[in-house]
Each structure stands twice: as structure tokens, then as C-alpha cells.
Amino acid sequence: MLCIETKDLRKKYASTIAVDGVDLQIESGQVFGFLGPNGAGKSTVIKLLTTLIPPSNGKISILGIDSAKHPLEIRKKIGVVLQQPSYEPTLSAEKSLEKYGMMWNIDKNTRKKRTEELLSAFGLEEIRKKKMDDLSIGQRRRVQVAREFMHDMELLFLDEPTVGLDPAARRKLLDFLREQVKNSGLTIFYTTHVLSEAEYLCDNIAIISNGKIMAVDSPSELKNRFGHEKTIKIHISKVSEQLKSRLSEIPECQIKLEPEPTVIINSTKSEIILMNILKILNETETKINDLSAIPTNLEEIFLKVVGDSN
Amino acid sequence: MIRINPIIRLVNRNLTISINPGFIIWQILFPLIYIFVAGFAYTSLIDSVPFGGKDLDYPAFLASGMIGFNIMNSTLISGIIIWNDRRHGMFEQIMSGPFTRTHYILSNIVTIGIIGLFSAALITAVGYPVFFQSVEFSIVTIPLIIFGSVVGAILFGSIASIISTKLRSSEGFNVIINTVFLFCAFASTAFYPVQGAPQPLATIFYLNPLSYLVDIIRAGIFGQVTDFVITEMLLLVALAAILFVIATKLLTKLDF
């Protein structure tokens, strides 16, 4: 079943086009990563999908509900953690969870039970009585994300939820989210700038740039599609003039002298080029200190896709 | 599961975040000082104050004025809630939840109505020993006090809401709201009678909606419902309606 479907989605502010013809089809029960550089339109798409702002053009269907006709019905079934912090400064962390549950019409006993579970799952027990105003940015962020699990939902929007979190808290949150998707069939629409996070968590990823979707696929498929180039680094003992001259004949390799003499191959045919270079190194009696091949990661794909779009 | 109306849920939340021991102490202590310190201290200067067909002693006059003053002060909360919600991201968060803007606006109105009534009841209880000799409650006058309290709360709550939608900085919000409310407090009939005031000041008094609110509440307490008070009631309703519409429009247009 399609959880999110958009057709030719556009949003224009005065002379700025924030979202430019976005088409999405997202299946239920997965974590869908939504990546893009700053100002690419990620948060605007989230605001459109969560019915906070109306589109200038196009159609949005969330959980099979038309967002133009029944925005409130959609909001009753989704959870939203926006990019900006949101909290009640006068309430304690515990009371924040409890009151948020009340706002979602969760009965008192369930609220109490869930509050305890979430305080534990998010490592908030020690600060449960502390006022939100007195918490650090990371602690507040944890409460903000935890709070959203006080109510039942079918779809959760998380806009950069790990901002301000330390690595341990970040990993705890990612594992918690994975668990939720696995156990309850929840769908998560997830934006982040930390690409290793997206690689760890997401089943599928869309990359947006300048308001347009540049690529949508699973992380492994994206690597297959865009990760043809491989990088091989050969650390050598010295660079002679003869070696420089011989290597200059090979277009897809470069020599770097700092911090140590290195020959870098960056090509779709790295293996073939490597054979040629090894031969040259042997002929010029250049000693190899170390050789490494760097696997293609999501960051490189992201930079390539975004770079191409610009 | 019992389905609680979204407005009631938001009112519950509004009251939880707004009412704290500090607020209640301030709501009681501040008027107490006015009524019992200023009220009795000024008695040597102001012997009695004519109101309707009665002569009131100054503490009784001031205590009844403090009810309107306290209602106005307590409705500041409406502006503070909206301003805080915008500053701390809760407005956007609420709007992305199971609520509409209408729910949000109506919950603010109900909140200030409750706080206005609570405030009026509190000062009536506190000030009762001072004005009990002149009190003439009746079946007509008690609803009049409740009517004045609710309409006055909506009026001043709307003013506070309008200011909160227009200002983002805390300094700006505090300066403007304090200036407006201070002017309303002292250029009104809450603290002193209009009789004997210079004509320009007397005119300003009656351009100020707090004077209407205070006069209506006094009329309710002392049983002096005159034609002038009825005119003030109509003016209060009209002004509250206009300001409420403006506040609602501004809240509806608030963007994210």
C-alpha cells in the first residue's frame, strides 16, 4: 500500500521556487530517507506532506487520504518531529510527555505506561523532573522525539531528529526507530545531513536538490547506479621526474605529494589503470608503502548527484 | 476510549503551562497590596466616591476596581501563550497534530474566559470584607459580573493576542504589552473616580475599555445598573467582537 503519494508537487514563495514538481511514491512499513543540501526543499516538502502549508500546485495523498480535502484526518494519523525545537519551557521532561499524550487523547493509564517506557528507551530518567528550559539542546531533542511516540500513528515524519545528539544517543535513537518499524509496521519519512545515518537506517532514499528529486532508490541500488567510479590510493616512497613523466600519460590518475607521496586513481576502470601503474612503479623502481581501495559510500553518491544537479 | 473535545484538551494544556504558584501568588498579592495598603492609605485624601446613586468609601471603590484590573492583567496570559508557542515551536507542533487553527483560537478564548472568571472570583473573595457593607447582589447583578468578566477577558485577551502575533522579540513583546496595559490601568476608573478629573483626562478614561469593564463590575456588585452602564456594556461587547475578529484573522494568517 502506498503511504505517501505526490504528483507534480510544487511550492512557490514570491519569486522563489522551493519545491519544483516532486513525484513520490512511498510504500508503507519502511524508513524512507530524504536527503538534500541546505535549502534544497526538504523541510518545505515535510511541511507540505504534514499539511502545515498548502501546495502551490500538485496533489498529495497521505495514507490514501487527499491532503487538500481532509488535512485534519491526515494529521490524526501521523506524527511529526519538525526541524526546529518545540517544547513547553515551564514543564518537566516527564510532564511534557504526559501532557503531549493528553493532547492526543491518550487515556491516563496508557499515558503513564508510555511515559515510563519512553523515559527509559530514550535515557531520560535522570532528567525526568528537570524543566525543559533547563535542558541541553540534545536532551530537549530527545524529549521532542520521545514525545511523538506517546500517541499511535501510521506514519512519522522526522526532520533531522539527531541534531544535537551525541553518538551514543544517536545510535540508540536509530535502533529504537528500526525496532518500531519492524514491530509495528510504522513508516518513517526521515531527513538528515548525516549520510552514514541514512545508510544505516533507510530502506529507500530520495535525493532532492533545488526543489527537484534527483534520484530515488535503495542505498545499494544508488551505489550501483552512481558509484561506478572507484578510488584507489597507492602510497609510495618517492616521486621521481621519470615517474611523473610516465604517469602524466595516464589521464585518470593524479599524484599528490602531501602529506606523503600518493598516486590516486579515480575511474570507472580503476582495476585496469592500477595494473598499468603497478607496471610503471616497477619499471621506475618505486617502492609501494601502502595500497588502499575506498569503497563507494552514500556520501560520494550524494555529492555526485547534488553536484550534477548544480 | 472517551473522546475529549480537542478544544478542552488544548485548554487543559494552556492552563497547565500558564498557571503556576508564582502566577497565583502574583494574582492575589498584587491586588491585596492595592486594596489594603493603597485603599486605606488614600482614605485620608478621598473620603467617599459617588457611584450611581450611592456613596462608596474609597477602599470599597478600589476593591471593586481591582476586579476589572485583575481580569485585564490575567488575560495577558493569552498573549504569553501565543508568543511562547511561536517562540518555542509549539504553535507549529500543535498545528501538525490533531487540531485546527479554530481549535487553537477557541481554546485561547476559553482559557482567558476561565482565568478571567477565576481572577474576578479571587478578588471578589479577597475584597469582600472591604465592600460587603455596600454590596447589593441580586439575580440580575451576578450574571452582570460574570458577563463583564468574560467579555472583558475576551477583549483584553484579544489585545494581548494581537500584540503577540506581531512581535517576535521578547523585549519588544514585553515593552509593548506593559505599555499598553499600564496605560489602560492608570487611564481608567479602576483606581480613581472620573468625577473631579480634568476634562481631557476624563475623556481619555472613557476611551479606555477597562473603564467600561470596571463600571460594569461595580454596577454588578453595588446594584447600580444605569443607562450609562448599559451603554458601556454594548460598547464593551462591540469592542470585544471587533478585537476578537482582528486577533482571529491575525492568528489564522500566522505562517510557519
Side-chain angles (χ1 to χ4, degrees), chain A residues 58-248:
Chain A
K59 281 202 154 194
I60 305 170
S61 170
I62 306 289
L63 301 162
I65 306 166
D66 186 335
S67 85
K69 287 180 186 161
H70 307 289
L72 185 60
E73 290 313 306
I74 290 174
R75 292 202 298 270
K76 284 177 182 172
K77 293 183 174 186
I78 64 172
V80 185
V81 176
L82 293 165
Q83 191 181 23
Q84 68 174 115
S86 76
Y87 61 98
E88 314 278 18
T90 56
L91 299 186
S92 66
E94 181 182 8
K95 194 87 175 165
S96 282
L97 297 183
E98 206 275 329
K99 274 292 147 190
Y100 200 70
M102 181 279 299
M103 283 166 71
W104 276 87
N105 203 38
I106 306 299
D107 68 79
K108 204 172 177 178
N109 289 336
T110 312
R111 282 200 314 256
K112 206 174 168 186
K113 188 171 155 263
R114 284 189 190 171
T115 300
E116 291 306 322
E117 285 169 1
L118 291 168
L119 286 171
S120 163
F122 283 80
L124 298 167
E125 287 124 320
E126 281 184 21
I127 55 159
R128 64 191 296 160
K129 297 288 176 196
K130 269 197 174 180
K131 284 210 169 134
M132 292 297 289
D133 225 9
D134 299 331
L135 301 183
S136 69
I137 292 171
Q139 288 170 330
R140 260 187 226 147
R141 193 66 173 161
R142 266 146 66 198
V143 177
Q144 191 180 347
V145 178
R147 190 179 63 181
E148 218 48 50
F149 287 93
M150 285 297 291
H151 64 90
D152 301 317
M153 61 199 150
E154 294 175 42
L155 169 63
L156 172 62
F157 291 89
L158 293 171
D159 197 354
E160 298 182 30
T162 55
V163 171
L165 300 194
D166 59 60
R170 181 178 295 175
R171 178 50 72 93
K172 203 171 181 180
L173 171 63
L174 297 183
D175 289 340
F176 178 83
L177 295 175
R178 271 181 143 179
E179 200 68 14
Q180 292 296 315
V181 173
K182 194 177 149 195
N183 294 343
S184 63
L186 178 70
T187 309
I188 297 179
F189 189 92
Y190 191 93
T191 81
T192 182
H193 283 296
V194 186
L195 299 176
S196 57
E197 243 174 50
E199 208 164 357
Y200 180 75
L201 186 68
C202 300
D203 300 296
N204 284 296
I205 283 169
I207 298 174
I208 185 171
S209 182
N210 297 321
K212 289 182 177 164
I213 299 287
M214 306 311 298
V216 188
D217 226 319
S218 67
S220 56
E221 275 308 307
L222 283 174
K223 283 180 192 171
N224 285 340
R225 272 169 62 194
F226 297 97
H228 302 310
E229 287 183 5
K230 285 195 184 82
T231 304
I232 297 173
K233 286 184 180 180
I234 312 163
H235 299 283
I236 52 178
S237 57
K238 61 180 173 43
V239 180
S240 63
E241 285 305 315
Q242 191 194 0
L243 178 66
K244 268 189 190 174
S245 162
R246 297 281 305 271
L247 288 180
S248 66

Side-chain angles (χ1 to χ4, degrees), chain A residues 19-32:
Chain A
V19 178
D20 192 4
V22 165
D23 292 313
L24 286 173
Q25 289 195 323
I26 301 171
E27 295 281 342
S28 299
Q30 63 166 316
V31 182
F32 187 85

